[in-house]
Amino acid sequence: MYRTHTCGELRMNHLNKETTLAGWVQTIRKFGSITFIDLRDRYGITQLLLNEKLTEQLDNTPLGREFVITVKGKVSERSNKNINIPTGDIEILVSEFKVLNKSAVPPFTIQDDTDGGEDIRMKYRFLDLRRNAVKKNIELRYAVNRAARNYLHQQNFIDIETPFLIKSTPEGARDFVVPSRMNSGEFYALPQSPQTFKQLLMVSGYDRYYQIVKCFRDEDLRADRQPEFTQIDCEMSFVDQEDILQMFEGMIKSIFKEVKNIDYAETVQRMSWEDAMWNYGNDKPDIRFDLKIANLKVEGKNHFEGLDHSEFAVFNNAETILAISIPGCSDYSRKQTDELIEWVKRPQIGMGGLAFIKYNTDGTLKSSFDKFFNADQLKSFAEFCKANPGDLILILAGREERTRKAISDLRLYMADRLGLRKADEFRLLWVTDFPLFEYDEEGNRWVARHHPFTSPKPEDIEVMIGNNPLIENAEKYLEHPYSKIKANAYDMVLNGNEIGGGSIRIFQRELQEKMFAALGMSKEESQHKFGFLLGAFEYGAPPHGGIAFGFDRLCAILGGSESIRDFIAFPKNNSGRDVMIDAPSTIDEKQLAELQIKLDLK
Ligand code: ASP
């Protein structure tokens, strides 16, 4: 027998017990004629004490870090207890030990604060996974997985696998494709999500489906994206939006409870997409803190009357002027405000500058544009921004879209500086009422904001059917009736991250065809790409809707981390490479010949 107990198990109540342990050598400390070894396995660390005789044996049997050994011995009380580990009261008086396998010197130390950099740890990910810090993330991932499954099982959901080799229908992201040997010249695609399959399952009558499933998107990897990632993918029949929001609010709360022992008692707050954009500048606001935006001027229209007679060209020329009031920062020094100005000028933010008003604690106001605004004007400016004495009002002016994005980034940046984004505080939010379409300037056409299977709000179906999708005047696309159509879609946001998104689906062939047409697809094209779904809709498709949660991201947030990579056992790097197995890689001529593929590399 290799072991009777694990290395995390033995306590004072096991005193004098004869045990056998197996694991990896964490450290070896020789003290004169005796030796201490820390033995590690998945469950913990136990100290071993080797007497003089066994220590002598070590001279002939070299032992090093990460060697795999098994030992027999008696549990005994330690004279020098270690309160930092659960087994710290005891040690094993070893009577016998055996090396099961030796180890090369690991390229970095297998400890919480390792000396290994990211690259080397990714190359030796199997060693990195031995570290406690990584192991606890993998365990948390499993806990989230289990909690989701438990909940969904209780709610009568059934886990049904859907295929990975499917048909390429790029929409949104690029597909990963796989050549078919048996059907030369033809390709499968890896699913970007099981979307159409889960809808077909609804047509088949499996009214509550879920799957914790890999999805594949060949995107340029912005920070913290993975080409393959995992979703908790769900679909339900005979539901409206309210049913879905209730069901999945329940799921998240139950995950909170099981994984973090958090009772998230309050009803999850809801916000329309319009309100989110207006008050926070983006569609996934972090509501752990307030810092709402003041909309002084929007798309050329002054909302703050004080701008009407301003002589400040920067304000007058701007399409949009937005501000946020930051409490407790009115005493920012010149150096600090200069820093903020530099920050908004960085290419990622892309603003020309930043104006500010210091609303001093004594009630006086001082701005970066005092030349153009007198004390009274500044006062009404501050009032419009709902600022209080002690606030620093930060003002951005420019094109609507960029300015709104910039103020939302600045809001998060300032919240970070003030320590308002606490990793152990969780605030959920439903964002609803998204626009159904987005305007694509390049193609002068509509694209689905969510995906082409999302239904318009019931009251907007007529608008969709009754109007020609053609955009005759690109400049005035906002006046097209389609730009006003709202989607029956919803996102779940956690601490400023979109952790889930879904929609009520179109389930009638005619409306689905209209949707494809609105997206600029010809009849032939939609038949070629989605004929199977349109066909299925003719055989009694029930009303249905669903949602998918980004599982990796959810785990990362619950684990208090920014990086999803830390929560994936074998992740890829920023260039989509697995540096451990060295993939992707070339394939040999024979494989290419079988596929009848010739490379024409540029
Ligand atoms: N399939 C969608 C996605 O991956 C989610 C959904 O609508 O259920 O974003």
Side-chain angles (χ1 to χ4, degrees), residues 193-331:
S193 87
Q195 185 61 36
T196 49
F197 287 98
K198 66 175 173 175
Q199 292 193 241
L200 290 171
L201 286 169
M202 294 305 111
V203 182
S204 310
Y206 297 88
D207 65 344
R208 291 184 172 197
Y209 142 94
Y210 87 100
Q211 198 181 174
I212 299 186
V213 64
K214 273 286 171 74
C215 302
F216 307 85
R217 295 183 191 174
D218 187 8
E219 292 174 299
D220 294 335
L221 298 177
R222 278 184 279 137
D224 211 28
R225 288 275 184 103
Q226 288 279 310
E228 52 177 310
F229 59 96
T230 306
Q231 285 189 344
I232 309 176
D233 189 47
C234 309
E235 197 76 4
M236 301 170 78
S237 290
F238 306 114
V239 286
D240 55 25
Q241 174 170 306
E242 189 56 36
D243 298 307
I244 303 241
L245 300 194
Q246 300 268 350
M247 176 63 75
F248 291 98
E249 193 165 321
M251 184 183 86
I252 285 293
K253 286 179 175 176
S254 134
I255 292 174
F256 273 133
K257 179 69 193 164
E258 261 188 64
V259 177
K260 307 284 294 183
N261 199 21
I262 292 175
D263 286 299
Y264 198 100
E266 67 262 46
T267 308
V268 172
Q269 195 182 322
R270 296 183 190 183
M271 194 182 288
S272 72
W273 175 83
E274 251 167 30
D275 284 351
M277 295 303 288
W278 185 261
N279 290 318
Y280 301 95
N282 74 30
D283 58 7
K284 45 177 180 64
D286 188 341
I287 55 164
R288 281 175 293 182
F289 53 92
D290 207 22
L291 302 188
K292 282 204 190 80
I293 297 170
N295 288 267
L296 296 136
K297 181 180 186 183
V298 178
E299 292 175 352
K301 181 166 178 273
N302 287 338
H303 291 258
F304 167 48
E305 281 175 16
L307 291 170
D308 288 350
H309 308 291
S310 133
E311 303 206 331
F312 187 21
V314 173
F315 285 174
N316 296 349
N317 297 337
E319 185 184 26
T320 291
I321 306 174
L322 306 171
I324 40 173
S325 304
I326 313 295
C329 294
S330 63
D331 59 354

Side-chain angles (χ1 to χ4, degrees), residues 273 433-439 446-457 460-461 463-464 481-489 503-504 506 511 514-515 518-519:
W273 175 83
D433 303 337
F434 287 84
L436 185 65
F437 296 109
E438 247 167 26
Y439 176 63
W446 300 111
V447 290
R449 204 196 145 81
H450 185 214
H451 53 52
F453 313 107
T454 293
S455 165
K457 290 260 176 223
D460 285 338
I461 291 181
V463 183
M464 195 166 137
Y482 271 36
S483 69
K484 307 273 177 321
I485 298 180
K486 291 270 183 293
N488 223 341
S503 60
I504 298 299
I506 296 171
L511 190 58
K514 182 80 191 178
M515 179 52 131
L519 300 176

Side-chain angles (χ1 to χ4, degrees), residues 82 175 191 327 492 502 542 552 587:
N82 179 354
D175 281 337
M492 185 176 259
D552 309 290
I587 55 174

Side-chain angles (χ1 to χ4, degrees), residues 4-21 45-49 71-79 81 86-96:
T4 54
H5 295 82
T6 70
C7 296
E9 199 178 342
L10 296 167
R11 302 284 187 278
M12 287 296 278
N13 59 348
H14 295 98
L15 281 189
N16 297 322
K17 208 171 176 63
E18 283 295 338
T19 60
T20 310
L21 298 184
I45 286 179
T46 298
Q47 177 164 292
L48 312 177
L49 174 55
V71 300
K72 274 196 169 63
K74 202 187 264 177
V75 181
S76 104
E77 184 166 2
R78 263 163 86 159
S79 49
K81 295 189 173 161
T87 61
D89 288 345
I90 58 100
E91 63 195 356
I92 308 293
L93 298 180
V94 177
S95 52
E96 225 179 280

Side-chain angles (χ1 to χ4, degrees), residues 396-432:
L396 292 175
R399 299 292 304 214
E400 162 67 23
E401 211 172 301
R402 172 168 294 187
T403 310
R404 202 160 283 281
K405 161 112 185 24
I407 199 98
S408 120
D409 289 342
L410 183 61
R411 176 178 175 269
L412 295 179
Y413 177 65
M414 292 311 294
D416 269 334
R417 282 176 76 127
L418 299 180
L420 299 174
R421 306 182 75 194
K422 300 191 190 84
D424 59 354
E425 187 188 341
F426 299 99
R427 283 299 299 278
L428 290 162
L429 172 73
W430 285 115
V431 178
T432 61

Side-chain angles (χ1 to χ4, degrees), residues 308-361:
D308 288 350
H309 308 291
S310 133
E311 303 206 331
F312 187 21
V314 173
F315 285 174
N316 296 349
N317 297 337
E319 185 184 26
T320 291
I321 306 174
L322 306 171
I324 40 173
S325 304
I326 313 295
C329 294
S330 63
D331 59 354
Y332 259 34
S333 64
R334 172 72 189 263
K335 185 162 166 265
Q336 285 172 302
T337 49
D338 279 353
E339 250 171 45
L340 293 182
I341 294 171
E342 284 316 306
W343 192 86
V344 304
K345 284 181 168 175
R346 296 173 328 144
Q348 303 95 300
I349 307 295
M351 297 305 293
L354 169 81
F356 59 86
I357 304 174
K358 293 177 174 176
Y359 194 169
N360 299 315
T361 42

